[in-house]
Amino acid sequence: MTHQLKVIERKQLQEKPDPATLGFGTLFTDYMFSMDYDPELGWHDAVILPYQNIELSPAAQVLHYGQAVFEGMKAYRTGDNVRLFRPDENFKRMNKSNARLNMPEVDVDFMVDALTQLVKLEKEWIPTGEGQSLYIRPFIIATEAYLGVRAATHYKLMIILSPVGAYYGSDHLAATKIYVEDEYVRAVRGGVGFAKAAGNYAASLMAQTRATELGYDQVLWLDGVEQRYVEEVGSMNIFFVIDGTVVTPELNGSILPGITRKSIIELAQHLGYTVEERRISIDDVFEASASGTLQEIFGSGTAAVIAPVGSIKYRDQEIEVNDSKVGPITLDLYNHFTAIQNGTEEDPFDWCVKL
Amino acid sequence: MTHQLKVIERKQLQEKPDPATLGFGTLFTDYMFSMDYDPELGWHDAVILPYQNIELSPAAQVLHYGQAVFEGMKAYRTGDNVRLFRPDENFKRMNKSNARLNMPEVDVDFMVDALTQLVKLEKEWIPTGEGQSLYIRPFIIATEAYLGVRAATHYKLMIILSPVGAYYGSDHLAATKIYVEDEYVRAVRGGVGFAKAAGNYAASLMAQTRATELGYDQVLWLDGVEQRYVEEVGSMNIFFVIDGTVVTPELNGSILPGITRKSIIELAQHLGYTVEERRISIDDVFEASASGTLQEIFGSGTAAVIAPVGSIKYRDQEIEVNDSKVGPITLDLYNHFTAIQNGTEEDPFDWCVKL
Ligand SMILES: Cc1ncc(COP(=O)(O)O)c(C=O)c1O
Ligand SMILES: Cc1ncc(COP(=O)(O)O)c(C=O)c1O
């Protein structure tokens, strides 16, 4: 593991985008981070270099066998103050994904250091508007040119940066409409659902496309074995407020262990809410709605932070939640959470890394 | 869909490898095929060009979300006679994979034509030794530079060619040792197991690594729901000969519908064997062994063609099959199958495309 970090300067910087028009994940900053792995040298040639295309062999294993993992996190800026939200958690999770996909571990401290240097260099790229941030995408791909199915010997880790607006457009607390998928399955225990493995996302596209066509924003996945238990939503974990208690599906091997999820559980407990991590079936949710105890639902994830859910459709039933408005507990959690991320409120958990 | 096929000539041809030292999937021929897709033009810019690295955006969706499918088939040569084995079946299956992963269909006839031209050009690369062939790898990757999770708008289809020896080394009818995986799961109904989706293979690596460490050649996967029913082996389908009947797991959505599997079923019936496609549990297999009716087991796939299975380990039990030797029905099927592929025997099914 080398701890040298070279910087290759870029001659011509790009013009920064108009913050008013920021979307998600289409624009990239001037620089990126890259590092290579081979069995002799381990991770080596760590470098910050101008954002540019990469060259791959057409036989590179990532293109054939999907041996790739990624992470997603954000940097926030207020004036000159830049904050990263729990970056160590992302690289720790990356190592769990690496282990599941037979890929080499990274050094978490080194990665946080390298990321810090990269973000400092690109500070001016971090937009400061409401709901805006710099989206950070670390990823590792298998680069070995070999067509046999086995773990690759050579890898590349990169970090690219994208200035982003709110994930669901400007009205970031508008309630989303959820479609419960009862045919397609995203993941099953014993599989790779808990890893941020590239292939999980390709496997989810059909269901998302169908939900969109039917007029829904996101898919709610059920477990792969019984197709009864609630798992997660598209790229968010899910929370229910039932009879005053905050309930979220327990981590079971097929759900991604969201860092927002984990942080919201800690924050909610800190604020005095009762939180339960447990198995919850889709029938439980509909019964709670029928009996009047289902108060709020929201999704949690890096991209959207917290997204209120306004309605859920399952087979031939559809329920509305809290009149399709953001509920009081969702709003309370959202306000504290984003204030901690932006640095406008004290950070009792030491979540933020100030650059 | 354009049917123009441009050829860009290569200045300097490579030296052909020594046929005696051929492995699998490490050497590539002088030329490859490439074609691009965008929503306006559809598939376009079909070209045969010198084998070379490709350039991708670091934000290309294949690198993040595994939106990629592939195929695998072989060309055989005897003297000047070159044969492709059922290439239309591979492009039809590619379209099924495409559909499941929200990717654009290809024109099967055009693809078979393009492949034919490419293989003709590379005829001299097809090795002629026992068990040798030209392995053909068509694949499609999502190239759009966009970090949101949705089906990409831009794709690249490529075909690369690799001269190969026998998949399991020189002794191609040596019995393999199989490890029944009862913890990790490859695929589940409702998922993408029936598609040749890149991510399926990354998801299989851990189990394969464990099996190898324990001294086994391949993993036998069980179904993802009950973890009881036999599905397939690594990159092969599986057949059992029980009490004179050839039995193979039925296609259920989580098994890859192998073209070798399908062809072996047709061939076995043609040769007068009784074939059953049905659910078969791992307990059924062990009971058949205990009662003396389990006669033979073999795997089927493009890479290995037919691979006899000599033993199966499941939890704390291990059974030997036919004294770890290739059985008479396996051998009969192997001999006819390879003779049809090589053109030394009449092809009653019209499987082979002669170039
Ligand atoms: C499948 C899935 N679930 C949940 C999440 C939420 O995780 P986090 O809070 O770490 O962003 C994500 C992604 O970010 C995801 O891709
Ligand atoms: C998972 C899997 N099963 C089975 C097979 C056998 O299919 P075919 O006979 O078409 O080669 C393959 C691959 O080739 C495979 O990858």
Side-chain angles (χ1 to χ4, degrees):
Chain A
M1 179 71 56
T2 169
H3 285 252
Q4 245 116 37
L5 182 48
K6 204 168 87 173
V7 179
I8 299 174
E9 220 174 307
R10 181 166 176 145
K11 297 271 139 54
Q12 187 94 43
L13 297 185
Q14 305 171 79
E15 223 175 285
K16 309 264 182 316
D18 175 0
T21 63
L22 287 176
F24 188 91
T26 48
L27 290 170
F28 300 93
T29 69
D30 290 315
Y31 288 93
M32 62 187 189
F33 171 86
S34 164
M35 180 163 88
D36 293 316
Y37 180 90
D38 72 34
E40 290 79 42
L41 297 174
W43 287 111
H44 64 281
D45 278 355
V47 57
I48 289 176
L49 74 168
Y51 183 86
Q52 61 192 276
N53 284 350
I54 56 173
E55 235 191 63
L56 284 176
S57 162
Q61 293 194 290
V62 62
L63 305 179
H64 301 266
Y65 307 127
Q67 208 191 0
V69 300
F70 70 99
E71 273 302 328
M73 61 185 127
K74 283 178 171 177
Y76 300 88
R77 178 161 74 108
T78 343
D80 252 6
N81 293 318
V82 177
R83 284 176 162 67
L84 294 174
F85 187 72
R86 310 188 83 174
D88 54 320
E89 289 289 338
N90 287 90
F91 289 110
K92 279 182 208 159
R93 184 170 67 187
M94 183 175 240
N95 274 340
K96 291 197 179 121
S97 303
N98 284 334
R100 183 63 182 84
L101 267 75
N102 254 227
M103 296 166 68
E105 279 204 359
V106 298
D107 179 325
V108 172
D109 292 337
F110 174 70
M111 287 314 305
V112 172
D113 273 5
L115 174 63
T116 302
Q117 281 195 51
L118 177 65
V119 173
K120 269 186 185 158
L121 185 67
E122 297 293 60
K123 191 167 148 176
E124 296 300 320
W125 277 92
I126 312 175
T128 56
E130 164 92 41
Q132 298 186 332
S133 58
L134 186 72
Y135 182 75
I136 298 166
R137 171 56 60 90
F139 63 104
I140 307 180
I141 56 175
T143 52
E144 190 194 1
Y146 174 57
L147 292 188
V149 179
R150 62 141 169 75
T153 54
H154 289 64
Y155 298 89
K156 186 183 278 297
L157 183 157
M158 302 187 75
I159 306 177
I160 57 179
L161 306 175
S162 175
V164 298
Y167 195 62
Y168 294 116
S170 57
D171 192 1
H172 55 274
L173 279 177
T176 51
K177 293 179 69 185
I178 299 285
Y179 181 86
V180 181
E181 178 58 55
D182 67 343
E183 182 193 351
Y184 296 125
V185 171
R186 190 194 89 99
V188 66
R189 58 93 188 77
V192 296
F194 70 87
K196 248 177 127 65
N200 287 339
Y201 296 82
S204 77
L205 296 174
M206 272 294 272
Q208 180 59 49
T209 300
R210 174 156 76 183
T212 306
E213 276 166 14
L214 293 172
Y216 296 86
D217 302 303
Q218 291 271 323
V219 167
L220 177 62
W221 295 104
L222 300 178
D223 75 286
V225 177
E226 298 187 47
Q227 295 184 295
R228 277 183 59 196
Y229 296 101
V230 171
E231 298 228 312
E232 58 185 322
V233 179
S235 45
M236 296 191 289
N237 296 106
I238 191 150
F239 287 82
F240 303 88
V241 181
I242 299 176
D243 215 359
T245 298
V246 178
V247 181
T248 192
E250 66 192 352
L251 300 179
N252 60 357
S254 53
I255 296 178
L256 191 86
I259 292 157
T260 317
R261 175 189 178 281
K262 175 179 178 167
S263 306
I264 282 178
I265 292 172
E266 294 171 45
L267 175 65
Q269 285 168 336
H270 179 79
L271 294 173
Y273 297 108
T274 305
V275 182
E276 285 176 8
E277 296 179 67
R278 63 170 168 89
R279 219 151 78 144
I280 175 166
S281 73
I282 188 66
D283 295 329
D284 293 341
V285 175
F286 275 69
E287 276 160 29
S289 171
S291 70
T293 55
L294 178 66
Q295 297 161 316
E296 307 176 31
I297 308 183
F298 62 91
S300 78
T302 295
V305 187
I306 285 179
V309 173
S311 66
I312 296 206
K313 158 102 172 159
Y314 175 53
R315 297 194 173 153
D316 51 2
Q317 299 173 63
E318 183 156 8
I319 50 173
E320 202 181 10
V321 188
N322 196 46
D323 295 327
S324 292
K325 293 199 190 70
V326 56
I329 295 179
T330 306
L331 192 61
D332 191 31
L333 291 168
Y334 177 83
N335 286 337
H336 286 290
F337 202 80
T338 52
I340 292 171
Q341 287 181 324
N342 291 313
T344 52
E345 188 174 301
E346 209 214 324
D347 173 9
F349 311 97
D350 255 336
W351 282 339
C352 296
V353 175
K354 293 174 202 96
L355 305 197
Chain B
M1 180 74 54
T2 169
H3 285 253
Q4 244 114 39
L5 183 48
K6 205 168 88 175
V7 179
I8 300 174
E9 220 175 309
R10 180 166 178 146
K11 298 270 138 54
Q12 186 97 43
L13 297 185
Q14 306 169 77
E15 222 174 284
K16 309 264 181 314
D18 175 0
T21 64
L22 286 177
F24 188 91
T26 48
L27 290 171
F28 300 92
T29 69
D30 289 315
Y31 288 92
M32 62 186 187
F33 171 85
S34 164
M35 179 165 88
D36 292 316
Y37 179 90
D38 72 34
E40 290 79 43
L41 299 174
W43 286 110
H44 64 281
D45 278 356
V47 57
I48 288 176
L49 74 170
Y51 183 85
Q52 60 192 278
N53 284 350
I54 56 172
E55 237 191 60
L56 283 177
S57 162
Q61 294 197 289
V62 61
L63 305 179
H64 300 267
Y65 308 127
Q67 208 191 359
V69 301
F70 69 97
E71 273 302 328
M73 63 185 124
K74 284 179 170 175
Y76 300 87
R77 177 160 75 106
T78 342
D80 253 4
N81 294 318
V82 176
R83 282 174 164 68
L84 293 174
F85 187 72
R86 310 189 84 173
D88 55 319
E89 289 288 340
N90 287 90
F91 289 110
K92 281 182 206 158
R93 184 170 66 186
M94 183 175 240
N95 275 340
K96 293 199 175 121
S97 303
N98 284 335
R100 183 61 182 88
L101 267 73
N102 254 225
M103 294 166 69
E105 279 203 0
V106 298
D107 180 323
V108 171
D109 292 336
F110 174 70
M111 288 313 307
V112 171
D113 273 5
L115 175 62
T116 302
Q117 282 197 50
L118 178 64
V119 172
K120 269 187 186 159
L121 186 66
E122 298 291 62
K123 190 168 148 174
E124 296 300 321
W125 277 92
I126 312 176
T128 55
E130 164 92 39
Q132 297 186 333
S133 58
L134 186 70
Y135 182 74
I136 297 165
R137 170 57 60 88
F139 63 104
I140 306 180
I141 55 175
T143 53
E144 190 194 0
Y146 175 56
L147 293 187
V149 180
R150 61 141 172 74
T153 54
H154 290 64
Y155 298 89
K156 187 182 278 296
L157 182 157
M158 303 187 74
I159 306 177
I160 57 179
L161 306 176
S162 176
V164 299
Y167 194 62
Y168 295 117
S170 56
D171 192 1
H172 56 272
L173 277 177
T176 51
K177 292 179 67 185
I178 299 284
Y179 181 86
V180 181
E181 179 56 57
D182 66 342
E183 181 193 352
Y184 296 124
V185 172
R186 188 193 92 98
V188 66
R189 57 92 189 77
V192 296
F194 70 87
K196 247 176 128 66
N200 287 340
Y201 296 82
S204 77
L205 296 173
M206 271 295 272
Q208 180 60 48
T209 300
R210 175 158 74 186
T212 307
E213 276 166 14
L214 293 171
Y216 296 86
D217 300 305
Q218 291 272 325
V219 167
L220 177 63
W221 295 105
L222 300 179
D223 76 287
V225 176
E226 298 188 46
Q227 295 185 293
R228 277 184 59 198
Y229 296 100
V230 171
E231 298 227 315
E232 58 185 323
V233 178
S235 43
M236 296 191 288
N237 295 107
I238 190 150
F239 287 82
F240 303 88
V241 181
I242 300 177
D243 215 1
T245 298
V246 178
V247 182
T248 192
E250 66 192 352
L251 300 179
N252 61 356
S254 52
I255 296 177
L256 192 86
I259 291 156
T260 318
R261 173 189 179 281
K262 175 179 179 166
S263 308
I264 282 178
I265 292 172
E266 293 170 45
L267 175 65
Q269 285 167 337
H270 178 80
L271 294 173
Y273 296 109
T274 305
V275 181
E276 286 176 8
E277 296 179 69
R278 62 169 168 91
R279 220 150 79 142
I280 176 165
S281 72
I282 188 67
D283 295 329
D284 292 341
V285 175
F286 275 69
E287 276 158 30
S289 171
S291 70
T293 55
L294 178 66
Q295 296 161 317
E296 305 176 32
I297 307 183
F298 62 90
S300 77
T302 294
V305 187
I306 284 179
V309 173
S311 66
I312 295 207
K313 156 102 173 161
Y314 175 53
R315 297 193 173 155
D316 52 2
Q317 299 172 61
E318 184 156 7
I319 50 173
E320 204 181 10
V321 188
N322 196 47
D323 295 327
S324 293
K325 292 199 189 73
V326 56
I329 295 181
T330 306
L331 191 63
D332 190 31
L333 291 168
Y334 177 84
N335 286 337
H336 286 288
F337 202 79
T338 51
I340 292 171
Q341 286 180 325
N342 291 312
T344 52
E345 187 174 302
E346 209 215 323
D347 173 8
F349 311 97
D350 254 335
W351 284 339
C352 296
V353 175
K354 292 173 203 99
L355 304 199

